[in-house]
Every structure is written in C-alpha cells, then in structure tokens.
C-alpha cells in the first residue's frame, strides 16, 4: 500500500511563521485526514514534492520510525553541480537522478542542530506524521506554537537526497535586500521561544550558531554578494558596517562559530576586488570588518577557512596584519 502525502497550504496572518493561529489551522485540517504524512507550507513547490514522492516510493522503509522528516540536498548532486561549466544550466527534474543503488540512510537530527526547520520557507521540505499530529493535538488542549511540536517529537530524521537547483532554492528562500536587522529580528523571535524549553548554554549556543549560519548562508551573504558584484557599493558598505557592529556586540564563542562568513565575506570580496578597490568608504569599512573578525576568530575557525578558501584567507589575514589592502590586490592579481 502506497504512502499518502497531503499538502496543507496555509497563510500565516499573525506575524512570524509558527503562531498559535497556524497550529489552529493544522488542527482543524487533520482531524479527518486519512493521509500518512502532511506537508505544511505557505506556498506549494511541485518540484520538491515530486522528488520527495519519488524517494518515498523507492524507499518506503525510510519513513518508519520518526515523527518528523526533514529533506535536504544530496551532497553527491551538489558535487555534480560544482563540476559543471555553468551549474545554472542544469534543469531540475521531478525524479531523483543521483541516489546510490544502496538504500540511503536517514540521520537523526533535532531542533538545536537544525533550527531553520522553524522558518516558513522550510515548510515544503518537511513531512509530519499525521498520527503523531493527531496524538499531539489530543494531548495539547492549551494554545501552542510550532516549536512545541518539534520539542514533543520523539524522533526527527533528515534525508539528504534532494536535487534542487540554486535558482529554485533562491526563489524559495526570498533573500532579496536582506539586512542584518532582518537576521537579528528572526533570531530574537525564535530564540525567545526556545528559551521556554532549555536554559543549557551549550544547547542555546548550538541553536544560535546554527540559525545564524543558515541565515548568513542563504540570505545575508547572497544579498551582500549581489550588492558587491553589481557595483552597489553604498549598500554594500552599509551592510559590512552593520555586520561589523554585530560581530563587536557578540562574544568570541558565537563569532568563531559563524563559519558561513568565510565564503561571502572573505572569498567573494577578494575575488571581486576590482569592483570595490577604488571605493575608499568600502575599503575602510571592509578592513575594519576584517580586524574585528580576526580578533574574535578562534584558531580552529581560521583553519576551517584556510581549508576551503586558502588563498583569500591568507590574503585578508595579511591585510589585517599590515593594515593595508595590498595583500588582497596581490592575491587577486595572482589567482583570480
């Protein structure tokens, strides 16, 4: 008997995704549902749904044992994209093309490790076991929020099998003109909710670093990259100044965990050096940013950046030491 998936498309009218209003709509819709799993999203994404359905049809045994299932990108597919002359030329397919012959094994996860599961854009990547939801609402008589569902789930599995193109991913994440204030506002909202469930400093640090890294990787960083590459240096300068203040305001433990900064704020500026080299305001702001970043960066974080962006990391580190952009200019001339 095939596994049945239903999509519940919900418009959240109460501010941030996950409010009691959202859960009331979920509760009202699942009472008579005969589906096995429910997708709760604000807009349907047919390509993602088709790939998930293809996976479940081929490996139904992987859907037994967890209350919530999170679907993410297949690393093998991402490696294939990077090898293409133009990865944007790849067209997203309805079925999965890069699964190994052996049955892929899901891995367990939890909210502090993947806090972005709370965000509206993630709805289309998550399946909720309908039996689990029905039991949840039978036991929960008081008003509640989406984060409570994740904390009550006994098991969350992550399936790294999707083959989503960057164009489709960017469309779903909606990161246009994303600012540091947007990132902090998002974090503050969900962190306040998380505080109701734990006061353990290590768990909260995991929540903070993983949410910030996701928002930097998918929203803040791409916005900054777009500003830089399009020559919009006034906005790029404001963005790097705001990020510098953010780093100054947070302690070394958190700043050192923000590994998503490496590509967008070390590699990209070096690679795009001609776009900003003659702009004094941006140059000064960027050098100040680098000084603050390296003051708060642990040795292990620097080694991480050297592993993936060795030339750019060496160049910006020398720039801080010399208080000069000449090492960046030299790196660009030699390698980019």
């Amino acid at each position: 008997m095939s596994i049945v998936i239903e999509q519940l498309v919900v418009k959240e009218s109460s501010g941030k995704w996950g409010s009691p209003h959202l859960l009331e709509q979920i509760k009202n819709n699942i009472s008579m549902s005969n589906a096995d799993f429910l997708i709760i999203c604000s807009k349907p994404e047919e390509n993602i749904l088709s790939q998930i359905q293809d996976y479940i049809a081929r490996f139904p045994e992987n859907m037994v044992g967890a209350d919530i299932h999170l679907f993410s990108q297949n690393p093998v597919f991402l490696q294939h994209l990077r090898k293409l002359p133009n990865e944007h030329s790849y067209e997203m397919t309805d079925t999965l093309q890069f699964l190994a012959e052996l049955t892929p094994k899901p891995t367990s996860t939890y909210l502090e490790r993947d806090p972005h599961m709370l965000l509206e854009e993630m709805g289309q990547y998550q399946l909720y076991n309908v039996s689990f939801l029905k039991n949840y609402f039978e036991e929960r008589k008081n008003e509640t929020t989406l984060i409570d569902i994740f904390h009550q789930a006994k098991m969350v599995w992550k399936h790294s099998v999707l083959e989503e193109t960057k164009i489709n991913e960017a469309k779903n994440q909606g990161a246009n003109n994303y600012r540091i204030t947007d990132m902090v506002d998002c974090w503050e909202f969900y962190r306040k909710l998380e505080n109701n469930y734990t006061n353990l400093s290590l768990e909260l640090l995991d929540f903070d670093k993983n949410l910030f890294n996701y928002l930097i990787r998918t929203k803040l960083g791409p916005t900054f990259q777009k500003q830089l590459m399009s020559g919009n240096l006034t906005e790029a300068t404001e963005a790097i100044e705001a990020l510098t203040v953010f780093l100054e305001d947070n302690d070394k433990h958190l700043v050192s965990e923000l590994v998503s900064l490496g590509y967008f704020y070390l590699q990209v500026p070096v690679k795009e050096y001609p776009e900003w080299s003659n702009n004094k305001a941006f140059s000064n702001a960027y050098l100040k940013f680098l000084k603050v970043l390296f003051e708060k960066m642990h040795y292990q974080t620097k080694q991480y950046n050297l592993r993936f962006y060795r030339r750019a990391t060496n160049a910006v580190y020398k720039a801080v030491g010399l208080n000069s952009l000449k090492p960046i200019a030299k790196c660009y001339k030699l390698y980019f």
Side-chain angles (χ1 to χ4, degrees):
M1 188 174 177
S2 60
I3 294 175
V4 179
I5 301 173
E6 282 185 5
Q7 276 196 111
L8 175 60
V9 181
V10 182
K11 294 301 180 183
E12 177 64 279
S13 59
S14 305
K16 291 283 193 300
W17 183 255
S19 70
H21 172 71
L22 174 67
L23 265 69
E24 190 63 29
Q25 294 183 74
I26 298 171
K27 181 179 179 180
N28 293 338
N29 278 273
I30 67 162
S31 58
M32 301 300 292
S33 175
N34 293 317
D36 298 292
F37 292 97
L38 182 68
I39 293 176
I40 305 162
C41 59
S42 60
K43 58 180 180 180
E45 176 47 64
E46 294 305 322
N47 285 332
I48 296 297
L49 177 59
S50 295
Q51 289 190 358
I52 291 175
Q53 288 174 324
D54 178 46
Y55 170 79
I56 292 175
R58 291 156 68 176
F59 308 104
E61 63 273 23
N62 282 357
M63 302 304 294
V64 179
D67 297 322
I68 302 174
H69 297 265
L70 170 66
F71 287 82
S72 62
Q73 291 279 55
N74 184 345
V76 176
F77 169 71
L78 293 178
Q79 289 176 5
H80 171 76
L81 281 187
R82 295 188 191 105
K83 294 176 182 177
L84 296 176
N86 177 14
E87 62 184 71
H88 294 298
S89 64
Y90 185 91
E91 295 187 7
M92 193 168 171
T93 58
D94 293 337
T95 56
L96 299 170
Q97 310 298 313
F98 291 84
L99 285 180
E101 292 183 5
L102 298 176
T103 303
K105 298 297 182 184
T107 57
S108 63
T109 189
Y110 50 91
L111 191 62
E112 288 76 19
R113 179 181 289 171
D114 286 303
H116 61 289
M117 291 189 290
L118 295 171
L119 303 182
E120 179 176 352
E121 68 212 48
M122 293 303 298
Q124 57 213 357
Y125 301 95
Q126 294 164 182
L127 267 62
Y128 298 83
N129 186 302
V130 171
S131 296
F132 160 68
L133 288 179
K134 287 182 177 180
N135 290 334
Y136 172 85
F137 285 114
E138 285 180 6
E139 295 175 2
R140 282 287 191 277
K141 302 302 181 182
N142 298 327
E143 187 176 80
T144 185
T145 57
L146 185 64
I147 193 172
D148 191 64
I149 289 180
F150 283 95
H151 278 287
Q152 299 308 317
K154 291 184 175 64
M155 185 67 70
V156 180
W157 280 353
K158 178 188 277 189
H159 307 261
S160 300
V161 297
L162 294 181
E163 299 163 12
E164 184 178 20
T165 59
K166 285 192 174 182
I167 293 175
N168 199 74
E169 193 175 20
K171 177 189 69 175
N172 292 329
Q173 287 162 348
N176 291 332
N177 301 317
Y178 197 80
R179 299 176 180 272
I180 194 83
T181 50
D182 298 319
M183 183 177 77
V184 173
D185 178 60
C186 177
W187 167 78
E188 285 181 341
F189 177 83
Y190 291 109
R191 176 61 137 75
K192 184 177 180 180
L193 296 176
E194 176 69 3
N195 288 341
N196 295 323
Y197 297 92
T198 182
N199 56 9
L200 297 176
S201 58
L202 287 178
E203 286 191 1
L204 291 173
L205 177 60
D206 278 350
F207 184 92
D208 295 345
K209 74 177 184 182
N210 289 323
L211 184 55
F212 279 132
N213 273 317
Y214 173 82
L215 296 174
I216 291 169
R217 184 175 66 252
T218 63
K219 301 177 186 298
L220 193 71
T223 297
F224 175 72
Q225 181 181 20
K226 190 181 299 182
Q227 292 166 345
L228 211 56
M229 294 180 69
S230 64
N232 192 347
L233 296 181
T234 299
E235 289 192 3
T237 301
E238 293 173 354
I240 205 72
E241 288 175 340
L243 182 56
T244 302
V245 172
F246 172 79
L247 297 182
E248 289 174 328
D249 290 344
N250 285 279
D251 62 30
K252 290 184 178 181
H253 294 292
L254 177 60
V255 173
S256 282
E257 297 288 354
L258 302 181
V259 294
S260 292
L261 292 172
Y263 175 74
F264 293 105
Y265 297 94
L266 302 183
Q267 175 81 356
V268 169
V270 174
K271 188 176 180 181
E272 303 299 329
Y273 177 70
E275 294 289 342
W276 57 269
S277 59
N278 295 321
N279 188 289
K280 186 176 181 180
F282 181 86
S283 298
N284 291 338
Y286 185 57
L287 193 56
K288 181 180 179 182
F289 160 78
L290 292 174
K291 290 177 181 177
V292 173
L293 179 63
F294 280 103
E295 281 175 3
K296 295 200 170 188
M297 183 183 291
H298 289 168
Y299 173 79
Q300 293 91 336
T301 313
K302 183 185 173 186
Q303 292 303 115
Y304 174 90
N305 287 318
L306 283 169
R307 178 185 173 190
F308 291 100
Y309 322 110
R310 175 168 294 276
R311 290 165 177 167
T313 302
N314 275 328
V316 295
Y317 187 69
K318 290 176 182 177
V320 171
L322 297 173
N323 194 33
S324 168
L325 295 176
K326 289 182 180 179
I328 296 178
K330 184 178 180 180
C331 179
Y332 173 79
K333 184 176 180 180
L334 288 175
Y335 302 114
F336 296 102

